Amino acid sequence: MSKIFPFLLLLVLIISACSLQQNHDPNTSMPGEVTKDSAKALSQDKVEITFRVHIPDYTPKDAKIYIGASFNGWNPGDPATEMKKVADKVYELTMKFKIGEYIEFKFTRGNWETVEKGEKGEEIPNRTMKITKSGVFEFEVKHWRDFIEKGGEEVELLHTLTGNFETFELYSPELNNKRTVIVYLPPNYKKDIQKSYPVLYMHDGQNLFDAATSFMGEWEADETAEKLIANGEIKELIIVGIYNMGDQRLTEYSPWPFSNKDYSSNGKGDLYVDFVVNTLKPYIDNHFRTLTNRENTAIAGSSMGGLISLYAAFKKPEVFGMVGAMSPSFWVSDGKIFDFVKNAGAGNLKVYIDMGIGEGIQVLEDTRRMVALLKNIGQTDETLLYVEDEDALHNEKFWAKRFPKMLRFFFGK
């Protein structure tokens, strides 16, 4: 019996399998079975998308156009996303994506210094697309960032500079790069040639004076200075706007390396401060009539610019006597700025700090923590001004609104 049982079990299994096959509905797949329909579905999992972009007439003829996107690690010069010229000022690229995939992207000429900008020269949000079907999708680039910032006539944008300005390019041996520097000169600078003036150094220079070169609107620093000077509220001063380097901004404005899901930095803040102190300031002092002592030298900025300003002033108190940090990014590198300031000491500095209450609970708490620290190391109501702006957000509009407070605090008569 023991030998017959396995044979009977095998016979039962064979009969059962045959029965299942005979009763199988041809329109219903068996488990693991690849049918014509399922094979077709697998082949349709990806679709072809053609990006067709029309670029500005002033674009150089030898330009290469790329797509920097969420699907290529935001590489602005990725060889895999170089587009093909198909007509005059028209480029195309065809790629495959999964149905249902969500992508974000921008067009560039190979780096973030040449990324596209809006019709008025403004920064634009990332382009977005949810992949639902194959097709050709048309886009238009209104302007390129580098042309906007140079302010060339071909761009034909309305510039909003008010007052006297000088602009030049300056090489940084510390950072091995060259950037634009724009200098606002007070109303009587060219009239009273015997007079020298205090200086305010500011970061993100393209955002300070001119709507045509700004990121998302200007600070109106020139209009504000002109008005306060004319009203006799502040001393005449020189404002030096240091252009940021685009995709190097975070790296240059952070004293320490950091990385998270949104941002990363190699931490070249020390080199940037050295550039301002050892290269830029001597150039400004040699080419303009400045009061060179620390009591007449200020440094200021917003966000990451606020962080590097505070760092620079506490690192070089012999150079800077005043520092302004608007909406500062004290969260960088797990808040290392707190220990740095604590160990540096008060430094006989005049400090302006502000924050918009609408910017978020954590950044507000960080700023209040810094203010408390500054008071603990010796800052007083005469040397420290802290402003909380009700409902203010993290952008140029609100920094422009608060800018007069900082100017009066530093340079008030």
Side-chain angles (χ1 to χ4, degrees):
M1 182 67 180
S2 59
K3 294 182 179 180
I4 298 175
F5 179 76
F7 173 76
L8 292 175
L9 179 60
L10 178 60
L11 183 61
V12 169
L13 290 173
I14 292 173
I15 294 172
S16 298
C18 291
S19 176
L20 282 172
Q21 185 65 32
Q22 290 172 356
N23 295 326
H24 171 50
D25 183 347
N27 296 317
T28 304
S29 62
M30 294 286 288
E33 182 181 3
V34 179
T35 65
K36 291 182 179 180
D37 288 341
S38 61
K40 184 178 180 182
L42 287 172
S43 68
Q44 290 181 341
D45 189 36
K46 285 191 174 184
V47 294
E48 284 193 344
I49 299 296
T50 297
F51 301 86
R52 179 181 295 155
V53 62
H54 302 257
I55 61 176
D57 289 339
Y58 62 75
T59 305
K61 292 183 179 180
D62 59 350
K64 294 183 178 181
I65 309 301
Y66 299 84
I67 299 177
S70 56
F71 54 79
N72 70 346
W74 291 104
N75 182 348
D78 185 358
T81 61
E82 182 178 350
M83 307 186 76
K84 181 180 179 181
K85 188 173 184 179
V86 295
D88 187 34
K89 308 303 179 186
V90 182
Y91 288 72
E92 284 187 0
L93 175 66
T94 299
M95 302 184 73
K96 289 185 177 181
F97 297 94
K98 290 182 179 180
I99 293 177
E101 186 175 352
Y102 179 86
I103 62 174
E104 297 183 63
F105 59 97
K106 282 185 177 179
F107 298 101
T108 82
R109 298 197 335 273
N111 53 59
W112 294 120
E113 305 302 315
T114 59
V115 70
E116 62 175 316
K117 297 199 82 173
E119 188 171 5
K120 297 181 179 180
E122 76 279 11
E123 186 75 10
I124 62 173
N126 295 336
R127 297 180 183 271
T128 61
M129 182 188 300
K130 184 175 181 180
I131 307 301
T132 58
K133 60 181 179 179
S134 296
V136 177
F137 296 85
E138 304 267 354
F139 303 93
E140 181 181 4
V141 170
K142 297 293 186 180
H143 291 292
W144 300 113
R145 177 178 181 176
D146 55 328
F147 280 86
I148 291 293
E149 292 182 354
K150 290 175 184 176
E153 293 182 2
E154 65 274 17
V155 177
E156 297 181 353
L157 290 179
L158 177 64
H159 292 275
T160 59
L161 295 173
T162 301
N164 301 313
F165 285 88
E166 291 194 20
T167 304
F168 57 90
E169 299 287 318
L170 187 65
Y171 173 74
S172 167
E174 298 84 358
L175 294 160
N176 191 29
N177 57 28
K178 181 186 289 187
R179 77 193 64 221
T180 300
V181 178
I182 183 168
V183 181
Y184 162 81
L185 300 171
N188 291 314
Y189 185 86
K190 294 182 179 180
K191 299 176 184 177
D192 188 351
I193 61 173
Q194 301 300 318
K195 188 176 180 179
S196 296
Y197 300 88
V199 182
L200 169 60
Y201 291 88
M202 298 189 70
H203 319 291
D204 296 313
Q206 51 266 68
N207 298 337
L208 301 177
F209 309 111
D210 194 350
T213 64
S214 66
F215 181 73
M216 291 182 66
E218 59 156 309
W219 284 50
E220 301 177 358
D222 44 349
E223 289 88 352
T224 296
E226 294 271 304
K227 179 180 178 180
L228 295 181
I229 290 169
N231 292 343
E233 296 182 59
I234 64 171
K235 305 171 187 176
E236 290 193 80
L237 77 152
I238 293 171
I239 303 176
V240 178
I242 312 164
Y243 271 42
N244 68 53
M245 296 299 292
D247 58 353
Q248 291 298 303
R249 180 178 182 272
L250 287 180
T251 285
E252 292 189 349
Y253 289 2
S254 173
W256 309 279
F258 70 90
S259 180
N260 58 35
K261 65 182 181 66
D262 297 313
Y263 308 106
S264 64
S265 163
N266 293 328
K268 294 183 179 180
D270 280 312
L271 295 177
Y272 179 76
V273 172
D274 289 344
F275 160 66
V276 175
V277 171
N278 299 327
T279 298
L280 177 59
K281 187 176 187 299
Y283 183 96
I284 295 295
D285 290 340
N286 287 332
H287 289 80
F288 300 92
R289 299 193 310 275
T290 65
L291 296 171
T292 61
N293 61 349
R294 66 178 302 276
E295 289 78 14
N296 287 289
T297 305
I299 188 167
S302 63
S303 192
M304 289 294 295
L307 172 71
I308 197 63
S309 294
L310 199 71
Y311 180 81
F314 277 87
K315 182 182 180 183
K316 298 286 186 179
E318 71 279 10
V319 176
F320 303 106
M322 298 168 280
V323 55
M326 290 187 170
S327 303
S329 299
F330 292 149
W331 54 268
V332 165
S333 298
D334 298 321
K336 286 185 178 180
I337 188 66
F338 293 98
D339 285 339
F340 177 80
V341 169
K342 181 180 179 180
N343 294 330
N348 192 27
L349 288 166
K350 205 168 189 179
V351 182
Y352 172 92
I353 296 182
D354 68 25
M355 180 58 69
I357 294 178
E359 296 186 53
I361 296 297
Q362 187 57 57
V363 292
L364 184 60
E365 290 179 353
D366 286 345
T367 308
R368 289 172 177 173
R369 176 186 169 192
M370 178 59 74
V371 171
L373 171 60
L374 290 170
K375 290 180 178 178
N376 286 337
I377 64 174
Q379 293 289 330
T380 67
D381 290 340
E382 270 110 47
T383 63
L384 172 65
L385 175 60
Y386 174 51
V387 176
E388 285 188 2
D389 193 352
E390 189 75 28
D391 297 326
L393 303 177
H394 193 85
N395 61 47
E396 284 76 7
K397 172 185 175 181
F398 294 100
W399 299 327
K401 172 189 171 186
R402 301 194 293 267
F403 187 60
K405 296 180 187 292
M406 187 176 73
L407 286 187
R408 293 190 191 98
F409 185 58
F410 289 164
F411 306 105
K413 288 186 175 180

